[in-house]
Coordinates of all heavy atoms in Angstrom, one line a residue:
M189 N 110.4 110.3 88.1 CA 109.8 109.4 89.1 C 110.1 107.9 88.6 O 109.8 107.5 87.6 CB 108.3 109.6 89.2 CG 107.6 108.6 90.2 SD 108.1 108.9 91.8 CE 107.3 110.5 92.2
D190 N 110.7 107.2 89.6 CA 110.9 105.8 89.2 C 109.8 105.0 89.7 O 109.2 105.2 90.8 CB 112.3 105.4 90.0 CG 113.5 106.1 89.4 OD1 113.4 106.2 88.1 OD2 114.4 106.3 90.1
F191 N 109.5 103.9 89.0 CA 108.5 102.9 89.3 C 109.1 101.6 89.5 O 109.9 101.1 88.6 CB 107.3 102.9 88.4 CG 106.5 104.1 88.4 CD1 106.7 105.2 87.6 CD2 105.5 104.2 89.3 CE1 105.9 106.3 87.6 CE2 104.6 105.3 89.3 CZ 104.8 106.4 88.5
L192 N 108.9 100.9 90.6 CA 109.5 99.6 90.8 C 108.7 98.7 90.0 O 107.5 98.9 89.6 CB 109.3 99.2 92.2 CG 110.1 100.1 93.2 CD1 109.8 99.7 94.7 CD2 111.6 100.1 93.0
A193 N 109.4 97.6 89.5 CA 108.6 96.5 88.8 C 107.6 95.9 89.8 O 107.9 95.8 91.0 CB 109.7 95.4 88.4
P194 N 106.5 95.5 89.2 CA 105.5 94.9 90.1 C 106.1 93.7 90.8 O 106.8 92.9 90.1 CB 104.4 94.4 89.1 CG 104.6 95.3 87.9 CD 106.1 95.5 87.7
S195 N 105.8 93.5 92.1 CA 106.2 92.3 92.7 C 104.9 91.3 92.8 O 103.9 91.8 92.7 CB 106.6 92.6 94.1 OG 105.6 93.3 94.9
I196 N 105.3 90.1 93.0 CA 104.3 89.0 93.0 C 104.4 88.2 94.3 O 105.5 87.8 94.6 CB 104.5 88.1 91.8 CG1 104.3 88.8 90.4 CG2 103.4 87.0 91.9 CD1 104.6 88.0 89.2
H197 N 103.3 88.1 94.9 CA 103.2 87.4 96.1 C 102.2 86.3 96.0 O 101.0 86.7 95.8 CB 103.0 88.2 97.4 CG 102.9 87.6 98.7 ND1 103.9 86.9 99.3 CD2 101.7 87.4 99.5 CE1 103.4 86.3 100.4 NE2 102.1 86.6 100.6
R198 N 102.5 85.1 96.2 CA 101.5 83.9 96.2 C 100.8 84.0 94.8 O 99.5 83.7 94.8 CB 100.6 84.0 97.3 CG 101.3 84.0 98.7 CD 101.6 82.5 99.1 NE 100.5 81.8 99.2 CZ 99.6 81.7 100.2 NH1 100.0 82.4 101.3 NH2 98.5 81.0 100.2
G199 N 101.4 84.5 93.7 CA 100.8 84.4 92.4 C 100.0 85.7 92.2 O 99.4 85.8 91.1
I200 N 99.8 86.6 93.1 CA 99.1 87.8 92.9 C 100.0 89.0 92.7 O 101.0 89.2 93.5 CB 98.1 88.1 94.1 CG1 97.1 87.0 94.3 CG2 97.5 89.5 94.0 CD1 96.2 87.2 95.4
T201 N 99.9 89.7 91.6 CA 100.7 90.8 91.3 C 100.4 92.0 92.2 O 99.2 92.3 92.3 CB 100.7 91.1 89.8 OG1 100.9 90.1 89.0 CG2 101.6 92.3 89.5
I202 N 101.5 92.6 92.8 CA 101.2 93.9 93.6 C 101.8 95.0 92.7 O 103.0 95.0 92.4 CB 102.0 93.8 94.9 CG1 101.6 92.6 95.7 CG2 101.8 95.1 95.6 CD1 102.5 92.3 96.9
H203 N 100.9 95.9 92.4 CA 101.2 97.1 91.6 C 101.6 98.2 92.5 O 100.8 98.5 93.5 CB 100.1 97.4 90.6 CG 99.9 96.4 89.6 ND1 100.7 96.2 88.5 CD2 98.9 95.4 89.6 CE1 100.1 95.2 87.8 NE2 99.1 94.6 88.4
E204 N 102.6 99.0 92.1 CA 102.8 100.2 92.9 C 102.4 101.5 92.1 O 102.5 101.5 90.8 CB 104.3 100.3 93.0 CG 104.7 101.6 93.9 CD 106.1 101.7 94.3 OE1 106.9 100.8 93.8 OE2 106.5 102.6 95.0
H205 N 101.7 102.4 92.8 CA 101.2 103.5 92.1 C 101.7 104.8 92.7 O 102.2 104.8 93.9 CB 99.6 103.6 92.2 CG 99.0 102.4 91.8 ND1 98.7 102.0 90.5 CD2 98.6 101.3 92.5 CE1 98.2 100.8 90.5 NE2 98.0 100.3 91.7
D206 N 101.7 105.9 92.0 CA 102.1 107.1 92.5 C 101.0 108.0 93.1 O 100.6 109.0 92.7 CB 102.8 108.0 91.4 CG 103.5 109.2 91.9 OD1 103.8 109.3 93.1 OD2 103.8 110.1 91.1
V207 N 100.4 107.3 94.1 CA 99.1 107.9 94.7 C 99.4 107.9 96.2 O 99.5 106.9 96.9 CB 97.9 107.1 94.4 CG1 96.7 107.7 95.1 CG2 97.8 107.0 92.9
P208 N 99.4 109.0 96.8 CA 99.6 109.1 98.3 C 98.5 108.3 99.0 O 97.3 108.5 98.7 CB 99.5 110.6 98.6 CG 99.9 111.3 97.3 CD 99.3 110.4 96.3
G209 N 98.9 107.5 100.0 CA 97.9 106.8 100.8 C 97.4 105.5 100.3 O 96.9 104.7 101.0
A210 N 97.7 105.3 99.0 CA 97.2 104.0 98.4 C 98.2 103.6 97.3 O 97.8 103.5 96.1 CB 95.8 104.1 97.9
R211 N 99.4 103.4 97.7 CA 100.4 103.4 96.7 C 100.5 102.0 96.1 O 100.9 101.8 95.0 CB 101.8 103.6 97.3 CG 102.0 105.1 97.7 CD 103.4 105.4 98.0 NE 104.2 105.2 96.8 CZ 105.5 105.1 96.8 NH1 106.2 105.1 97.9 NH2 106.2 104.9 95.7
F212 N 100.0 100.9 96.8 CA 100.0 99.6 96.3 C 98.6 99.0 96.1 O 97.8 99.2 97.1 CB 100.9 98.7 97.3 CG 102.3 99.2 97.4 CD1 102.7 100.2 98.3 CD2 103.3 98.7 96.5 CE1 104.0 100.6 98.3 CE2 104.6 99.1 96.6 CZ 105.0 100.1 97.5
S213 N 98.5 98.3 95.1 CA 97.3 97.6 94.9 C 97.4 96.2 94.5 O 98.5 95.9 93.8 CB 96.3 98.4 94.0 OG 96.9 98.3 92.6
W214 N 96.4 95.4 94.7 CA 96.5 93.9 94.2 C 95.1 93.5 93.9 O 94.1 94.0 94.4 CB 97.1 93.0 95.2 CG 96.5 93.0 96.5 CD1 96.7 93.8 97.7 CD2 95.4 92.1 96.9 NE1 95.8 93.5 98.7 CE2 95.1 92.5 98.3 CE3 94.7 91.1 96.3 CZ2 94.0 91.8 99.0 CZ3 93.8 90.4 97.0 CH2 93.4 90.7 98.3
T215 N 95.1 92.6 92.9 CA 93.8 92.1 92.5 C 93.9 90.6 92.3 O 94.8 90.1 91.7 CB 93.2 92.7 91.2 OG1 93.2 94.1 91.4 CG2 91.9 92.1 90.8
H216 N 93.0 89.8 92.9 CA 92.9 88.4 92.7 C 91.9 88.1 91.7 O 90.7 88.2 91.8 CB 92.6 87.7 94.0 CG 92.6 86.2 93.9 ND1 91.5 85.3 94.0 CD2 93.6 85.4 93.7 CE1 91.8 84.1 93.9 NE2 93.1 84.1 93.7
E217 N 92.4 87.9 90.4 CA 91.6 88.0 89.2 C 90.4 86.8 89.2 O 89.4 87.0 88.7 CB 92.4 87.9 87.9 CG 93.3 89.1 87.8 CD 94.0 89.1 86.5 OE1 93.9 88.2 85.8 OE2 94.8 90.1 86.3
E218 N 90.8 85.7 89.8 CA 89.9 84.5 89.8 C 88.6 84.9 90.6 O 87.6 84.4 90.3 CB 90.6 83.3 90.5 CG 91.7 82.8 89.6 CD 92.5 81.6 90.3 OE1 91.8 80.8 91.1 OE2 93.7 81.5 90.1
T219 N 88.8 85.7 91.7 CA 87.6 86.0 92.5 C 87.2 87.4 92.4 O 86.1 87.8 92.9 CB 87.9 85.6 94.0 OG1 89.0 86.5 94.5 CG2 88.3 84.2 94.2
G220 N 88.0 88.2 91.8 CA 87.7 89.7 91.7 C 88.0 90.4 93.0 O 87.7 91.6 93.1
S221 N 88.6 89.7 93.9 CA 89.0 90.4 95.3 C 90.1 91.3 95.0 O 91.0 91.0 94.2 CB 89.3 89.4 96.3 OG 88.1 88.6 96.6
A222 N 90.2 92.4 95.7 CA 91.3 93.3 95.6 C 91.5 94.1 96.8 O 90.7 94.0 97.8 CB 91.0 94.3 94.4
G223 N 92.6 94.7 96.9 CA 93.0 95.5 98.1 C 93.9 96.6 97.8 O 94.6 96.5 96.7
I224 N 94.0 97.6 98.6 CA 95.0 98.7 98.4 C 95.7 98.8 99.8 O 95.3 98.5 100.9 CB 94.4 100.0 98.1 CG1 93.3 100.5 99.2 CG2 93.8 100.0 96.8 CD1 92.9 101.9 99.0
A225 N 97.0 99.2 99.8 CA 97.9 99.3 100.9 C 98.8 100.4 100.8 O 99.2 100.9 99.7 CB 98.6 98.0 101.1
R226 N 99.2 100.9 102.0 CA 100.3 102.0 102.0 C 101.7 101.5 101.6 O 102.5 102.2 101.2 CB 100.2 102.7 103.2 CG 99.1 103.6 103.5 CD 98.8 104.0 104.8 NE 98.5 102.9 105.7 CZ 99.0 102.6 106.9 NH1 100.0 103.3 107.3 NH2 98.7 101.6 107.6
T227 N 102.0 100.2 102.0 CA 103.3 99.6 101.8 C 103.2 98.2 101.1 O 102.1 97.6 101.2 CB 104.0 99.4 103.1 OG1 103.3 98.5 103.9 CG2 104.1 100.7 103.9
A228 N 104.2 97.8 100.5 CA 104.2 96.5 99.9 C 104.1 95.5 100.9 O 103.4 94.5 100.7 CB 105.6 96.3 99.1
E229 N 104.6 95.6 102.1 CA 104.5 94.7 103.2 C 103.0 94.5 103.6 O 102.5 93.5 103.9 CB 105.4 95.1 104.4 CG 106.8 94.9 104.2 CD 107.4 96.1 103.3 OE1 106.8 97.1 103.2 OE2 108.5 96.0 102.8
E230 N 102.3 95.6 103.7 CA 100.9 95.6 104.0 C 100.1 94.8 102.9 O 99.3 94.0 103.3 CB 100.4 97.0 104.2 CG 99.0 97.1 104.7 CD 98.4 98.5 104.9 OE1 99.3 99.4 104.9 OE2 97.2 98.7 105.2
A231 N 100.4 95.1 101.7 CA 99.8 94.4 100.6 C 100.1 92.8 100.7 O 99.0 92.1 100.6 CB 100.2 94.9 99.3
I232 N 101.3 92.5 101.1 CA 101.6 91.1 101.2 C 100.8 90.5 102.3 O 100.3 89.3 102.2 CB 103.2 90.9 101.4 CG1 103.8 91.2 100.1 CG2 103.4 89.5 101.9 CD1 105.3 91.3 100.3
R233 N 100.7 91.3 103.5 CA 99.9 90.7 104.6 C 98.4 90.6 104.2 O 97.8 89.6 104.6 CB 100.1 91.6 105.8 CG 101.4 91.5 106.5 CD 101.3 92.1 107.9 NE 100.9 93.4 107.9 CZ 101.7 94.5 107.7 NH1 103.0 94.3 107.4 NH2 101.2 95.7 107.6
Q234 N 97.9 91.5 103.4 CA 96.5 91.4 103.0 C 96.3 90.2 102.1 O 95.2 89.5 102.3 CB 96.1 92.7 102.3 CG 96.0 94.0 103.1 CD 95.7 95.2 102.2 OE1 95.8 95.1 101.0 NE2 95.5 96.3 102.9
I235 N 97.2 90.0 101.2 CA 97.1 88.8 100.3 C 97.3 87.5 101.2 O 96.5 86.6 101.0 CB 98.2 88.9 99.2 CG1 97.9 90.1 98.3 CG2 98.3 87.6 98.5 CD1 99.1 90.3 97.4
S236 N 98.1 87.5 102.1 CA 98.3 86.3 103.0 C 97.0 86.0 103.8 O 96.6 84.9 103.8 CB 99.5 86.5 103.9 OG 100.7 86.6 103.2
G237 N 96.4 87.1 104.3 CA 95.2 86.8 105.0 C 94.1 86.5 104.1 O 93.2 85.7 104.5
F238 N 94.1 86.9 102.9 CA 93.0 86.6 101.9 C 93.2 85.1 101.5 O 92.2 84.4 101.5 CB 93.1 87.5 100.7 CG 92.3 87.1 99.6 CD1 90.9 87.1 99.7 CD2 92.8 86.7 98.4 CE1 90.1 86.7 98.6 CE2 92.1 86.3 97.3 CZ 90.7 86.2 97.4
L239 N 94.4 84.7 101.2 CA 94.5 83.4 100.7 C 94.7 82.3 101.8 O 94.4 81.2 101.6 CB 95.9 83.4 99.9 CG 95.8 84.1 98.5 CD1 97.2 84.0 97.8 CD2 94.8 83.5 97.6
G240 N 95.1 82.7 103.0 CA 95.4 81.8 104.0 C 96.7 81.2 103.9 O 97.5 81.6 103.0
P241 N 97.0 80.2 104.7 CA 98.3 79.5 104.7 C 98.6 78.9 103.4 O 97.6 78.4 102.6 CB 98.3 78.5 105.9 CG 97.2 78.9 106.7 CD 96.2 79.7 105.9
D242 N 99.8 79.0 102.9 CA 100.2 78.4 101.7 C 100.4 76.9 101.8 O 101.2 76.4 102.6 CB 101.6 79.0 101.3 CG 102.0 78.5 99.8 OD1 101.4 77.6 99.3 OD2 103.0 79.0 99.3
P243 N 99.6 76.0 101.1 CA 99.7 74.6 101.3 C 101.1 74.1 100.9 O 101.5 73.0 101.4 CB 98.6 74.0 100.2 CG 97.7 75.2 100.1 CD 98.5 76.4 100.2
A244 N 101.8 74.8 100.0 CA 103.2 74.4 99.6 C 104.3 75.0 100.5 O 105.4 74.7 100.1 CB 103.3 74.7 98.1
C245 N 103.8 75.6 101.6 CA 104.8 76.3 102.4 C 105.8 75.2 103.1 O 105.3 74.2 103.6 CB 104.2 77.1 103.5 SG 105.3 77.8 104.7
R246 N 107.1 75.5 103.0 CA 108.0 74.6 103.5 C 108.2 74.8 105.1 O 108.6 73.9 105.7 CB 109.4 74.8 102.9 CG 109.4 74.3 101.5 CD 110.8 74.6 100.9 NE 111.0 76.0 100.8 CZ 112.1 76.7 101.1 NH1 113.2 76.0 101.6 NH2 112.2 78.0 100.9
L247 N 107.7 76.0 105.7 CA 107.9 76.2 107.0 C 106.8 75.5 107.8 O 107.0 74.9 108.8 CB 108.0 77.7 107.3 CG 109.3 78.4 107.0 CD1 109.1 79.9 107.3 CD2 110.4 77.9 107.7
C248 N 105.6 75.7 107.3 CA 104.4 75.2 108.1 C 103.6 74.1 107.5 O 102.6 73.7 107.9 CB 103.6 76.4 108.5 SG 102.6 77.1 107.0
Q249 N 104.0 73.7 106.2 CA 103.3 72.7 105.5 C 101.8 73.0 105.4 O 100.9 72.2 105.4 CB 103.4 71.4 106.1 CG 104.7 70.8 105.9 CD 105.8 71.2 107.0 OE1 105.5 71.3 108.2 NE2 106.9 71.6 106.5
G250 N 101.4 74.4 105.3 CA 100.0 74.7 105.1 C 99.2 74.9 106.5 O 98.0 75.2 106.4
H251 N 99.9 74.7 107.5 CA 99.1 74.8 108.8 C 99.0 76.3 109.2 O 98.2 76.6 110.1 CB 99.9 74.1 109.9 CG 99.7 72.6 109.8 ND1 98.6 71.9 110.2 CD2 100.5 71.7 109.1 CE1 98.8 70.6 109.9 NE2 99.9 70.5 109.2
G252 N 99.9 77.2 108.7 CA 99.9 78.6 109.0 C 100.5 79.0 110.3 O 100.6 80.1 110.6
T253 N 101.0 78.0 111.1 CA 101.7 78.3 112.3 C 103.1 77.6 112.2 O 103.2 76.5 111.6 CB 101.0 77.8 113.5 OG1 100.8 76.4 113.4 CG2 99.7 78.5 113.6
E254 N 104.1 78.3 112.8 CA 105.4 77.8 112.6 C 105.6 76.5 113.4 O 106.4 75.6 113.1 CB 106.5 78.8 113.1 CG 106.6 79.9 112.2 CD 107.9 80.8 112.6 OE1 108.8 80.3 113.3 OE2 107.9 82.0 112.1
D255 N 104.9 76.3 114.5 CA 105.2 75.1 115.4 C 103.8 74.6 115.8 O 103.3 74.8 116.9 CB 105.9 75.6 116.7 CG 106.6 74.4 117.3 OD1 106.3 73.3 116.9 OD2 107.4 74.6 118.2
W256 N 103.1 74.1 114.7 CA 101.7 73.7 114.9 C 101.4 72.5 115.8 O 100.3 72.3 116.3 CB 101.1 73.4 113.5 CG 101.8 72.4 112.7 CD1 102.9 72.6 111.9 CD2 101.6 71.0 112.8 NE1 103.3 71.4 111.4 CE2 102.5 70.4 112.0 CE3 100.6 70.2 113.5 CZ2 102.6 69.1 111.6 CZ3 100.7 68.8 113.2 CH2 101.7 68.3 112.4
A257 N 102.5 71.8 116.2 CA 102.4 70.8 117.2 C 102.2 71.3 118.6 O 101.5 70.6 119.4 CB 103.6 69.9 117.1
L258 N 102.5 72.5 118.8 CA 102.3 73.2 120.1 C 101.0 73.9 120.1 O 100.5 74.4 119.0 CB 103.4 74.2 120.5 CG 104.8 73.6 120.6 CD1 105.8 74.6 120.8 CD2 104.9 72.5 121.6
L259 N 100.3 74.1 121.3 CA 99.1 74.8 121.3 C 99.3 76.3 121.1 O 98.4 77.0 120.7 CB 98.4 74.6 122.7 CG 97.9 73.1 122.9 CD1 97.4 72.9 124.2 CD2 96.9 72.8 121.8
A260 N 100.5 76.8 121.5 CA 100.8 78.3 121.4 C 100.7 78.5 119.9 O 101.2 77.8 119.1 CB 102.1 78.5 121.9
Y261 N 100.0 79.6 119.6 CA 99.8 80.1 118.3 C 101.0 81.0 117.8 O 101.2 82.1 118.4 CB 98.5 80.8 118.1 CG 98.3 81.1 116.6 CD1 97.8 80.2 115.7 CD2 98.6 82.4 116.2 CE1 97.6 80.6 114.4 CE2 98.3 82.8 114.8 CZ 97.8 81.8 114.0 OH 97.6 82.1 112.7
A262 N 101.7 80.7 116.8 CA 102.8 81.5 116.3 C 102.6 81.5 114.7 O 102.8 80.4 114.1 CB 104.2 81.1 116.6
S263 N 102.3 82.6 114.2 CA 102.0 82.7 112.8 C 103.2 82.3 111.9 O 104.3 82.8 112.3 CB 101.4 84.0 112.4 OG 100.2 84.3 112.9
C264 N 103.0 81.6 110.9 CA 104.1 81.3 110.0 C 104.6 82.5 109.4 O 103.9 83.3 108.8 CB 103.6 80.3 109.0 SG 104.9 80.0 107.7
A265 N 106.0 82.7 109.6 CA 106.6 84.0 109.1 C 106.6 84.0 107.5 O 106.7 85.0 106.9 CB 108.0 84.1 109.6
N266 N 106.5 82.8 107.0 CA 106.5 82.8 105.4 C 105.2 83.1 104.9 O 104.9 83.8 104.0 CB 106.9 81.4 105.1 CG 107.1 81.4 103.5 OD1 107.7 82.2 102.9 ND2 106.6 80.4 102.9
C267 N 104.1 82.5 105.5 CA 102.8 82.7 105.1 C 102.2 84.0 105.4 O 101.4 84.7 104.7 CB 101.8 81.6 105.5 SG 102.2 80.0 104.9
F268 N 102.6 84.5 106.7 CA 102.1 85.7 107.2 C 103.2 86.6 107.7 O 103.4 86.7 108.8 CB 101.1 85.5 108.4 CG 100.0 84.6 108.0 CD1 100.0 83.2 108.5 CD2 98.9 85.0 107.3 CE1 98.9 82.4 108.0 CE2 97.8 84.2 107.0 CZ 97.9 82.9 107.3
P269 N 103.8 87.2 106.8 CA 105.0 88.1 107.2 C 104.7 89.1 108.3 O 103.7 89.8 108.2 CB 105.3 88.8 105.8 CG 104.8 87.9 104.8 CD 103.5 87.3 105.4
E270 N 105.6 89.3 109.1 CA 105.5 90.3 110.2 C 105.5 91.8 109.6 O 106.0 92.0 108.5 CB 106.6 90.2 111.2 CG 106.5 88.9 112.0 CD 105.4 88.9 113.0 OE1 105.0 90.0 113.5 OE2 104.8 87.9 113.2
D271 N 104.8 92.7 110.3 CA 104.9 94.1 109.9 C 106.3 94.6 110.1 O 106.9 94.5 111.2 CB 104.0 94.9 110.8 CG 103.9 96.3 110.3 OD1 104.8 96.7 109.5 OD2 102.9 96.9 110.6
G272 N 107.0 94.9 109.1 CA 108.4 95.3 109.2 C 108.6 96.7 109.7 O 109.8 97.2 110.0
A273 N 107.5 97.5 109.9 CA 107.7 98.9 110.4 C 108.0 98.9 111.8 O 107.8 98.0 112.5 CB 106.4 99.6 110.2
Ligands
LIG254 ZN1 103.7 78.8 106.1

């Protein structure tokens, strides 16, 4: 069984486990918040939702929307990655 190296999103490490239904987990050690996900993409979305927009994001400058000058809401693809499924 191969295990992928842990990936890191927004400074939070995503661990992969050999457990059906809960293969990925992450823990925000500063707050003790944690989550489990079926896919790495889902874990990334959970972390993005937990942390909110990235203040250092080059796409949205921390607004969380790609085109924040418009009233139409479009989530920043960098801060809130789409479900790739
Ligand atoms: Zn962004």
Side-chain angles (χ1 to χ4, degrees):
M189 179 65 72
D190 291 327
F191 288 93
L192 299 174
S195 58
I196 298 175
H197 177 66
R198 302 280 299 278
I200 295 180
T201 303
I202 300 170
H203 295 281
E204 183 174 1
H205 310 278
D206 190 17
V207 179
R211 293 194 61 195
F212 296 87
S213 70
W214 58 270
T215 301
H216 187 241
E217 295 182 1
E218 292 174 32
T219 62
S221 296
I224 58 172
R226 286 167 291 131
T227 65
E229 289 77 16
E230 185 177 349
I232 287 172
R233 286 197 304 278
Q234 290 175 352
I235 293 169
S236 295
F238 169 67
L239 291 178
D242 184 352
C245 177
R246 287 176 296 134
L247 284 179
C248 70
Q249 285 85 45
H251 290 272
T253 58
E254 285 194 20
D255 203 351
W256 54 270
L258 299 177
L259 291 177
Y261 184 82
S263 295
C264 174
N266 186 49
C267 292
F268 303 103
E270 294 287 325
D271 189 343

